[in-house]
Amino acid sequence: MNEAKSSGFPKEVGIVYHNLGLIYDRKNIPKLAEEYFIKAIHIKEHLESINGVRSLYMIASVLYRNNQVAEARSWYDKGLEKAESLKEKEYEAKLKLIHALYDCHNDSLINEALQYLEQKNLWPDTSELNEQIAEYYLKQGNLIKAVEYYKRALKAKIKL
């Protein structure tokens, strides 16, 4: 990491920070995940790339999943603007999905985003997002919707 910083490889440093954020997210340490995603987007070269959109999406996702809706919404807005400017339809769909789930509670927007990801054969993402949706509904006590999305996650895993 220090070599990348001192050798003038800012994009690579941004990717390392992003990947550290992913590791902390997987370990369910949201504060550290958020910290590293933010470090990544503070690197101009990272923010201006597709990797910047990924980091913005992940910050919003981590915050939404941890009930920090107002802060997540701010990152969602930044991420959506960046995804639209880079014409990154995949991340537009993912951002709209998490916003629809945690913020505006719109099932049709959730399903529209999932349908787009399925059409693009993004099965790992589709599976993971369906699991995330199922867990959300399980926490809400909506077992019928939770089971529906767990089933969809399993179907997506089969297609991997």
Side-chain angles (χ1 to χ4, degrees), residues 1-14 43 45:
M1 173 75 108
N2 290 333
E3 283 181 38
K5 281 183 182 178
S6 64
S7 299
F9 294 103
K11 274 186 170 179
E12 290 75 6
V13 172
I43 298 171
E45 293 83 353

Side-chain angles (χ1 to χ4, degrees), residues 62-129:
V62 166
L63 292 169
Y64 272 133
R65 284 182 278 130
N66 288 282
N67 296 318
Q68 295 175 271
V69 176
E71 191 175 352
R73 186 180 307 123
S74 172
W75 289 107
Y76 158 79
D77 289 337
K78 292 172 188 170
L80 187 61
E81 181 180 327
K82 181 61 77 177
E84 288 172 344
S85 75
L86 294 174
K87 296 181 178 20
E88 278 296 329
K89 298 292 184 193
E90 173 187 341
Y91 280 91
E92 284 182 45
K94 289 178 179 182
L95 283 156
K96 288 177 181 178
L97 186 150
I98 61 172
H99 178 71
L101 178 64
Y102 295 103
D103 208 340
C104 65
H105 313 288
N106 186 322
D107 288 342
S108 65
L109 290 177
I110 292 168
N111 289 315
E112 185 180 308
L114 285 171
Q115 190 173 28
Y116 174 81
L117 297 171
E118 289 168 2
Q119 288 171 349
K120 295 296 179 184
N121 295 319
L122 298 169
W123 300 115
D125 298 323
T126 303
S127 175
E128 186 177 314
L129 287 164

